[in-house]
Amino acid sequence: GIQVEQSPPDLILQEGANSTLRCNFSDSVNNLQWFHQNPWGQLINLFYIPSGTKQNGRLSATTVATERYSLLYISSSQTTDSGVYFCAVPKEETSYDKVIFGPGTSLSVIP
Amino acid sequence: SAVISQKPSRDICQRGTSLTIQCQVDSQVTMMFWYRQQPGQSLTLIATANQGSEATYESGFVIDKFPISRPNLTFSTLTVSNMSPEDSSIYLCSASGTRGDEKLFFGSGTQLSVL
């Protein structure tokens, strides 16, 4: 089955710094989603991004499906950005909604 | 976006007992799923909850251990049966919309501890 990798596994940032998180996947996918799990465990869907670039405030994401990777950019980080960031892709090339998750990037933003 | 309510939010259970987790979505959704998140780990898909029919289980998960119901388009339950300490995890309900809008949303999870 499809394999998903994320890097870096851990990241510590000073408040105000920028960062880039990466998600690599082993096979063609027809969509990709980014999630943030806050320190209380709640999962928030940040982006549904099969291809191209999307922006939402200080966050933006780019997926290059032909090269099998996606990037999540966090600018001017805040302490509330702390938590774990997951990317998720469909389990099979022909499916859309049965998704599997990468191992995550744990982000700590310190004041 | 769908709002998903899950209960209980946490429970402490004795070995050998069963716990049923409820998931309610505020609108009709096409797909509902159950995930498990073991301590410090990523999410693992347990099964797809199919409306009006048996759930579809992923490799490593069986109906006898994790029976699932989905009587309608807004509600599902997951039962963790004959629990052991290895079942201590967060269990999460999720839902997505129609084809072309498969953005996935999650409930707040059920933190289960088995003694």
Side-chain angles (χ1 to χ4, degrees):
Chain A
I2 192 167
Q3 304 295 316
V4 184
E5 300 176 345
Q6 291 186 242
S7 60
D10 301 281
L11 186 59
I12 299 175
L13 293 177
Q14 199 77 40
E15 197 169 25
N18 304 328
S19 64
T20 300
L21 282 56
R22 186 177 180 103
C23 173
N24 292 331
F25 39 95
S26 60
D27 292 311
S28 300
V29 299
N30 48 42
N31 71 68
L32 183 142
Q33 302 183 59
W34 282 98
F35 294 86
H36 174 221
Q37 188 170 39
N38 65 26
W40 298 270
Q42 180 67 56
L43 272 159
I44 303 298
N45 193 309
L46 299 174
F47 293 102
Y48 176 92
I49 181 166
S51 62
T53 298
K54 289 187 177 180
Q55 180 142 14
N56 184 0
R58 296 181 296 104
L59 304 181
S60 65
T62 295
T63 296
V64 184
T66 53
E67 297 187 21
R68 301 180 182 172
Y69 75 88
S70 184
L71 302 174
L72 178 70
Y73 305 93
I74 304 175
S75 65
S76 304
S77 59
Q78 300 176 0
T79 56
T80 53
D81 295 329
S82 296
V84 183
Y85 290 81
F86 294 103
C87 65
V89 299
K91 184 179 178 216
E92 295 144 3
E93 187 175 351
T94 54
S95 71
Y96 286 82
D97 38 32
K98 187 188 293 188
V99 302
I100 61 170
F101 282 70
T105 292
S106 178
L107 173 65
S108 297
V109 180
I110 55 177
Chain B
S1 65
V3 176
I4 302 176
S5 302
Q6 196 174 327
K7 61 180 181 181
S9 57
R10 60 177 63 239
D11 207 341
I12 301 172
C13 300
Q14 295 297 319
R15 182 195 299 259
T17 62
S18 297
L19 176 72
T20 295
I21 302 167
Q22 297 182 7
C23 178
Q24 179 74 55
V25 188
D26 69 342
S27 58
Q28 292 187 347
V29 290
T30 307
M31 307 298 292
M32 293 183 74
F33 306 93
W34 289 95
Y35 284 83
R36 181 175 73 183
Q37 188 175 26
Q38 295 177 302
Q41 302 296 311
S42 183
L43 282 75
T44 301
L45 181 62
I46 297 173
T48 303
N50 299 309
Q51 193 263 325
S53 64
E54 194 171 284
T56 306
Y57 290 85
E58 298 300 309
S59 176
F61 298 96
V62 296
I63 188 171
D64 289 346
K65 177 67 176 177
F66 298 102
I68 288 170
S69 77
R70 190 177 172 194
N72 57 51
L73 291 176
T74 64
F75 185 79
S76 179
T77 67
L78 168 75
T79 298
V80 186
S81 303
N82 188 25
M83 289 183 284
S84 67
E86 292 71 35
D87 295 320
S88 297
S89 291
I90 298 173
Y91 293 86
L92 295 130
C93 171
S94 66
S96 67
T98 57
R99 182 58 53 85
D101 181 20
E102 292 89 11
K103 199 169 183 179
L104 199 61
F105 297 96
F106 281 85
S108 53
T110 296
Q111 173 86 60
L112 172 61
S113 298
V114 184
L115 305 179

